[in-house]
Amino acid sequence: MRIAVVGGGISGLVAAYRLRQALGVAADLTVIEGRDRLGGVLRTGSVGGEPVDLGAEAFVGRRPEVPALLRELGIAGQLVHPAGLRPLVWAGGRAHPLPERTLMGIPSGPHSVAGLLDADTVARIADEPTRAFDWRPGADTDVYSLVADRFGAQTVARSVDPLLGGVYAGTARSIGLRAALPALAAALDRGATSLTAAVSATLPPPSDAPVFGALRDGYGVLIRALAEQAAATTVRGTGVDALHRMPGRWRVDPVGEFDAVVLATPAPATARLLTEVAPAAARAAAGIELSSSALVVLELPKDTELPQNSGVLVATGEPLRAKAFTLSSRKWPHLAARDTAVVRVSFGRFGDDTTTALSESELVAAATADLATVTGAAITPNSAVVQRWPGGLAQYAPGHTERVAEIDAGLAGLDDLAVTGAYLNGVGVPACVASATAAARRIAAACADMASRSR
């Protein structure tokens, strides 16, 4: 069987690896990547002569997919966890502790947000369970509309938006409740009498387990291991122009003909490639928008006076250009052991390209100035690296789950074609691993069926 995997990011490489596991050495696998490197939005660079991730740096540690994958690949020794420090929120011109016992910043009661929010907003949260609440099971809405109505706009700006900005490079106005917070939507569907009750029912029990994990030497280690063990032919620097259905085959222009195809491409590229072969799925994928971001990694003198926190999130409406600061040398013990300090400064939210359009020197200057503001420290970088991610993150807007269902339905009958990626069922690396595994399973089953029919 000859199989094409279009896209060499984490989803495409996991799909190729899973296909190799399922089909063995006889499978002829080809990974086609438009960039000149593999990894997609996961990229490990060098800062101060040491590896540092220039895209995502961590994954949700309570999901099993990534630790299990590291064990399979023989690189479990790379797994590291944070030091356990809490982040801060910059709001109203000063730093506040990030509220605890919230669901993506949505509070479960007034006490955790006292101090971060003004007295009127705290009183509104306290009073919320007594106010009439109307929810239609199965409904979807943007996160802002629900939370601002029940808890006030300041709750969104200072508690919810900072967290959503980190996950989606979006805001509560651009993110849908049902796709981003499915457990909360389910609690509302079950008849929760208030938003407070729904959040309280959704929060997991307190745990000392690490919330996040990372790789000691960066995601590049995982990308290399997947590529090596998938043992696929790799075509780099080549974009796929079109996908055509032929009798019993697929033509992937300009690369060649294949028995089966996995599309591990962003939503707009997937929509374009599906236009001829699955037009309904193409229309659904075309409705998923992307957000751009930029990252500045600052290498600082070891003795720079940074707070004893994992990072600083920035509330909406603050006069800063950065949206978040990861104090990497505080957050990760393996980075704290280095001779210099590392800080990641993030820019860009959906619908606002003003900061991501800045030049590299302007981004570094903005990162330095904003970090000085939120820390009160003198910031004099030894070096800086800028990484841009145009269209790097899908926006899970209201109706996203319906769009994904339409994509799935539009591929019915095309068992030798599968799609995977961060625009489907989760933007994080664990969700991508799960999505890619499902895509590989679909293609492996189709290949087995083709093989049995050819006997």
Side-chain angles (χ1 to χ4, degrees), residues 73-88:
L73 296 168
I75 55 174
Q78 282 282 327
L79 179 61
V80 293
H81 297 292
L85 300 176
R86 294 281 299 170
L88 301 169

Side-chain angles (χ1 to χ4, degrees), residues 1 17 48 60 68 85 117 136 151 171 180 198 207 258 270 325 333 366 451:
M1 293 290 172
Y17 167 68
V60 176
L85 300 176
L117 308 182
R136 179 173 56 83
F151 288 160
T171 68
S207 172
F258 297 87
T270 302
F325 308 83

Side-chain angles (χ1 to χ4, degrees), residues 292-304:
S292 299
S293 62
L295 177 73
V296 178
V297 181
L298 300 176
E299 181 209 7
L300 305 172
K302 180 82 169 180
D303 60 358
T304 301

